[in-house]
Amino acid sequence: MANSIKIQSALISVFHKDGLAPIVKKLDQLGVTLYSTGGTEKFINDMGINVIPVEEVTEYPSILGGRVKTLHPKIFGGILNRQGHEGDRIEMDQFQIPQLDLIIVDLYPFENTVASGASEQDIIEKIDIGGISLIRAAAKNFNDTFCVASREDYEQVLEIISENNGTTTWEQRRYFAAKAFNVSSNYDTAIFNYFNAIAEIPALKVSETQGQVLRYGENPHQKGYFYGDFDAMFDKLHGKELSYNNLLDVDAAVNLIGEFMGEQPTFAILKHNNACGIAQRDTIKKAYLDALAGDPVSAFGGILISNTQIDSATAEEINQLFCEVVIAPSYSSEALDILKGKKNRIILVQKLFQLPQNTLRTCLNGTLVQDRDNLTDTLGNLTEATHNKPTKNELDDLLFASKVCKHTKSNTIVLAKNKQLFASGTGQTSRVDALRQAIDKANSFQFDLKGAVMASDAFFPFPDCVEIADKAGITAVIQPGGSIKDQLSVDYCNQHNLSMVFTGVRHFKH
């Protein structure tokens, strides 16, 4: 097995020319024979460096509007030949095939073209054929060929050829082969998913090319990784690295506050993926203070998120609490100075970003995929189920509570009043237990439940929950409805002057 190979010839054919010039100059200094095509050939010529057009090797011009340039045995033979194989060497000489030691290729920007909203014709034209074939061939033959498939690697490649006088090791070539197959598999995944948006073939292709190693997973004895472009969603301004659990909580926080974007100042505090406090007020400071009042015990070490800019007055209050992460669309300069006073506190600026429309989770030996729950209960989808109608304030509270309920672990009951979370029962095996947990918690923080509202993530099969709620002082209920015994709960509400509305939409969260 060959180990070190000195680069004597290179084929360069790229869409993006950024960062290419230093490599071309170094290869020229090393006396490497350069081959190229089209725009890359012109780019190298314009640098005053000699380059051989691929057409001189293949004795065929670029045809079909540039669709076929490098797809030729003299090119692929130069890449795929085994340098230690006598039969290959004989055929190389027989057919006058040049040896190609280095391949630098990138791909047409298919994903960017799709994201731009281009026509299907333009999108199809950005499906690379020659480039992907060159990458796969060179990566397959890494024993003898050095494959560079991404401009992100140019700096490292320049370092390798500069420090080693144009020589590469087997380990380096194999590593870059792995990187090349990462590029090609991601590219094919993007193409399949584009076509499958219509074809709906029951197959799952997921590819994330950016990843980071976390300190550990959910617990210290578990390894943890995050795959995705975190920087596309957030600017991290301060603090330690986010942990696996931090990321889960940030995800829950972003999804919850997304229900309140564009509304009055709203502040939420989350712990273990559930809101322990949330309130909507006329200033963000008031919203924070009332969110904190919802459960000042659980707020310790929590994740804080705002739907609007955090000012200095709010930052002063936040600074009195130990919290892991603070998230907002922006911060005043004074607020930032205050919040940065705690060395490890993570401060994030949330950018405008469209979350994926599917959610995935491992299940047994496979993966569960579903549409994201994008339905938010509004006045327009409410059905008044009882004779007693909710007041305007109760309707506002019901919709507020419903939004919180949607993002709380099932079974859940949420109690709210004046757009403030009083308490929630989370992750209970029975809805009655969830309600009792919420009532006990609200009472423990001395909230007056008289006139409060109740939201449930699923229907009531029996009237026990509305009876318990009534006796606690709750006056209005929002729930999906849909039980064959809905009328039992409706009858109780009618008899005891409670109002109840149906949404027609269940919001389980497991």
Side-chain angles (χ1 to χ4, degrees), residues 133-187:
S133 302
L134 291 168
I135 288 171
R136 289 177 63 83
K140 173 181 177 177
N141 199 34
F142 67 88
N143 278 333
D144 300 297
T145 308
F146 187 24
C147 180
V148 180
S150 171
R151 56 181 166 164
E152 295 177 4
D153 295 325
Y154 287 175
E155 187 175 335
Q156 185 178 2
V157 170
L158 180 60
E159 184 179 320
I160 288 171
I161 62 176
S162 298
E163 291 182 355
N164 301 290
N165 201 33
T167 297
T168 62
T169 66
W170 182 88
E171 290 78 12
Q172 288 168 340
R173 294 192 301 277
R174 195 180 194 285
Y175 172 72
F176 273 83
K179 290 173 76 75
F181 284 120
N182 182 35
V183 169
S184 65
S185 63
N186 179 71
Y187 198 73

Side-chain angles (χ1 to χ4, degrees), residues 445-459:
F445 290 113
Q446 298 183 331
F447 284 117
D448 180 6
L449 288 174
K450 185 176 181 181
V453 304
M454 173 174 74
S456 174
D457 58 340
F459 61 63

